[in-house]
Amino acid sequence: MSVIANDASALLLDQVNQALAAKTPLRIQGGGTKAFLGHPVEGVLLDTREHRGIVSYDPTELVVTVRAGTPLVELEAALDAAGQMLPCEPPHYGTGATVGGMIAAGLSGPRRPWSGSVRDFVLGSRVITGQGKHLRFGGEVMKNVAGYDLSRLMAGSFGCLGVLTEVSLKVLPKPRLCTSLRLEIDLERALLKLAEWGQQPIPISAASHDGQALYLRLEGGEGSVNAARERIGGEDLDAGYWNELREQRLAFFADPRPLWRLSLPNNTPVLPLPGEQLVDWAGAQRWLKSDADAVTIRGIAIEAGGHATCFTAGATTNPFQPLSAPLLRYHRQLKAALDPQGIFNPGRMYSEV
């Protein structure tokens, strides 16, 4: 695939250097579809959307390099045309979602427990740092791991560590066969069955429970998928369910109460959550609609060995799980090393950083 000529990275670098000289905070944003997450940022807008396009893509290498402002739908369409996909199944939350926003938010869809998270597929990146330099980390092939960890740090950093301008991602072939099932069993039994199936060679790639039924997606070769379907039973389910779940368009998400995301260890049993819940990731991710206070919700999550994030803007003063003293120290040290003047999305994740 040919390189798109319009490279706006020089303009982004110039804007960063102007902000550094004036000591002016920057509000880094692409499509803004995930702007509701975290604290609002006060600063001059740095819009990445002009820096767009697929830089290189060779389907035989299973690697794509793409600029941060590229619409996520554009990247997915190019991969789909080659019979490939982003394995982490990232949510869009709107038509304007960009690749940079996907990396910055670090959110993954229903396939995540079986394929990996966003950061697991980051091979390399180009980043404008808080020293006003445009640096390249990592590479475009799996064998090149120089700077690999720093590139992965950009995943889930919400733009607080630097301006991501380009990223190289590992991609995978789309499965040959995909089928979805619905089984009417209660949540407790569903979690037990999922734990049992997790120890067996069953090609599950998504599993959720809405309080009434268990929803499963099976993906892989025809033989393994058909054998698992015969064994598990249930009724056919429209495959569009998983996209509606990923994009939070199911009826559950229309509930006006604040939305919480609980990230929990595998095989966590049923929890006494104060509200309506939708279980995803075979129980490792639980969406909760609740008017309960943050202390109560986070207390339940912590006791189970997990943490809770509020997905409703303004519902709590701390959208992300408050950090322990050691973790806060590490975050501050990392911020100081990569963004010494603190101009990149200050306070987006934590007011102390």
Side-chain angles (χ1 to χ4, degrees), residues 203-217:
I204 296 174
S205 68
S208 77
H209 197 285
D210 64 358
Q212 302 296 322
L214 172 65
Y215 301 83
L216 293 174
R217 184 173 62 193

Side-chain angles (χ1 to χ4, degrees), residues 64 89 93 120 124 131 137 150 154 171 190 195 202 218 224 227 253 272 277 287 291 322 329 335-336 339 343:
V64 62
E89 205 172 5
Y93 298 151
D120 294 324
Q131 288 83 14
F137 302 98
L150 187 53
M154 301 304 292
V171 299
I202 297 177
L218 306 173
S224 61
F253 294 102
Q277 64 175 306
W287 297 102
D291 287 321
R329 183 172 67 252
K335 178 76 168 175
D339 180 21
I343 68 166

Side-chain angles (χ1 to χ4, degrees), residues 31 41 98 171 196 229 241 303 317 319-320 324 328 332 336 339:
V41 175
T98 63
V171 299
E196 175 188 331
R229 181 177 182 176
Y241 169 85
E303 187 174 353
T317 54
F320 294 99
S324 64
L328 179 58
R332 283 174 168 165
D339 180 21

Side-chain angles (χ1 to χ4, degrees), residues 53-57 63-67 136 139-140 166-169:
I54 296 175
V55 177
S56 63
Y57 175 39
V63 174
V64 62
T65 298
V66 60
R67 295 182 179 124
R136 185 183 298 277
E140 296 182 0
E166 188 176 294
V167 63
S168 295
L169 299 165

